Amino acid sequence: MIDTAEAAFAAVQNWLDMRYEPAGDFRVRAVADGGPVWRAVVGRPGTHLGEFCARVDKVTGVVEVGFVPQIGPSARDGYMRMMRTTVVPELRRLGFTGSGRRFTLQIPKHSGTLVFQQSQGNTWMGVKFTADVSVASSPGWTARLGSISHHGCDHWWSVWAGFPSDEVAADLITAIRDHAVPLIKGERNPPGIPTAGSDVASFGQRLRDAVSHCLHRRSRSGPDHDKSPNW
C-alpha cells in the first residue's frame, strides 16, 4: 500500500534508478494525489519541474509512465493561472504592455516584444511553452527566450496538471528580467552580433577619417583639379 506522498516519491525514484542508467539521470520533482494513483513529475537535474509523468498505483505499488486520471485542473488551467497571477503582474512591473500572448516594452528609440507560444504536443497533463524576443530597430533581431537565458539552448518551460508552478514562474521571470529586458534596452549586445574589438573600432575610425579627408580635398580643389586616386 502506497498511502503517503513520501512513499510514492520513494517508489517512483526507485523505479527510475532501476530503469534508467546511470542512476541519478532522472529525479522525481513532485508528487500529487491522483485518486487511485499518485502522480509524479520526473526530470533531469536542472530542469524546471520536469520532463515527463509517471504514476504509482496506491494499492499495488506498480509504477508506469504516462497516463494518469484526469482529476482536477488541467495543465492549461495551471499555466493560465500562473501567467495571470504571477508572470503578467511582473511584466507590468518591468514596463511591458499588452495581453494574451504578446507583450511590448517601449523605450525611447525602439520597442521590443515578447510573444509566448505553446507546444503543439501539449496535453491535459502537461503544457510546454517558450517565448520569442524581438526588437524592431535597425538592425532588428529575434531570438528564443531560452536561447538567450539558458546557455544557448532552446529551453522550454513545463507546467503539469496538479503540480505547483512557482519554480517555473520564478525561472521564467528571471529569464525575462535578467536577459530579455537588458537586450531590448540595448544594455547588452544583440544575439548573433559580436562586439567590435578596439582594433576593429580603430580601423573603422581611420577609414572614416581617410574618406572624410578625401572628400574635403575634393570640395576645395573643385572638379577640374581633382587628382584623387581611384579607391
Side-chain angles (χ1 to χ4, degrees):
M1 175 69 71
I2 307 296
D3 55 359
T4 66
E6 290 77 11
F9 191 104
V12 176
Q13 189 60 59
N14 289 337
W15 174 80
L16 288 169
D17 291 343
M18 290 187 294
R19 177 166 178 157
Y20 296 98
E21 294 292 342
D25 271 6
F26 287 97
R27 309 297 298 172
V28 178
R29 301 303 305 276
V31 295
D33 196 338
V37 300
W38 290 98
R39 299 171 179 168
V41 169
V42 175
R44 290 184 175 87
T47 57
H48 295 281
L49 197 54
E51 298 179 58
F52 67 89
C53 289
R55 67 174 186 171
V56 53
D57 189 284
K58 289 183 176 180
V59 176
T60 66
V62 173
V63 181
E64 297 177 308
V65 176
F67 173 78
V68 293
Q70 296 185 8
I71 298 174
S74 69
R76 177 172 171 77
D77 294 333
Y79 169 78
M80 297 300 292
R81 182 173 60 252
M82 178 192 74
M83 295 296 291
R84 182 178 64 253
T85 62
T86 306
V87 178
V88 172
E90 181 63 17
L91 291 177
R92 301 279 187 243
R93 193 189 71 78
L94 292 171
F96 284 86
T97 59
S99 61
R101 296 175 56 246
R102 180 180 292 269
F103 296 86
T104 301
L105 179 62
Q106 186 70 48
I107 63 174
K109 293 184 179 181
H110 61 262
S111 63
T113 59
L114 189 66
V115 180
F116 290 93
Q117 60 175 293
Q118 297 183 28
S119 168
Q120 294 182 351
N122 286 344
T123 65
W124 181 92
M125 188 63 201
V127 166
K128 288 191 174 184
F129 69 96
T130 186
D132 288 330
V133 184
S134 61
V135 164
S137 63
S138 182
W141 55 266
T142 300
R144 193 62 63 81
L145 178 60
S147 70
I148 63 177
S149 62
H150 285 71
H151 310 291
C153 299
D154 186 13
H155 179 83
W156 290 65
W157 288 262
S158 300
V159 174
W160 298 91
F163 293 92
S165 58
D166 295 348
E167 180 184 348
V168 183
D171 187 67
L172 177 64
I173 289 169
T174 298
I176 296 169
R177 182 190 62 230
D178 295 353
H179 298 276
V181 170
L183 282 168
I184 291 173
K185 290 183 175 181
E187 297 171 356
R188 296 183 185 175
N189 209 45
I193 302 177
T195 303
S198 59
D199 54 339
V200 175
S202 177
F203 174 77
Q205 185 60 53
R206 292 198 304 270
L207 180 59
R208 288 190 293 271
D209 291 345
V211 172
S212 176
H213 178 68
C214 177
L215 292 176
H216 179 68
R217 287 183 58 193
R218 291 183 64 179
S219 65
R220 292 189 61 185
S221 61
D224 294 337
H225 301 87
D226 186 7
K227 304 298 184 181
S228 301
N230 292 328
W231 291 90

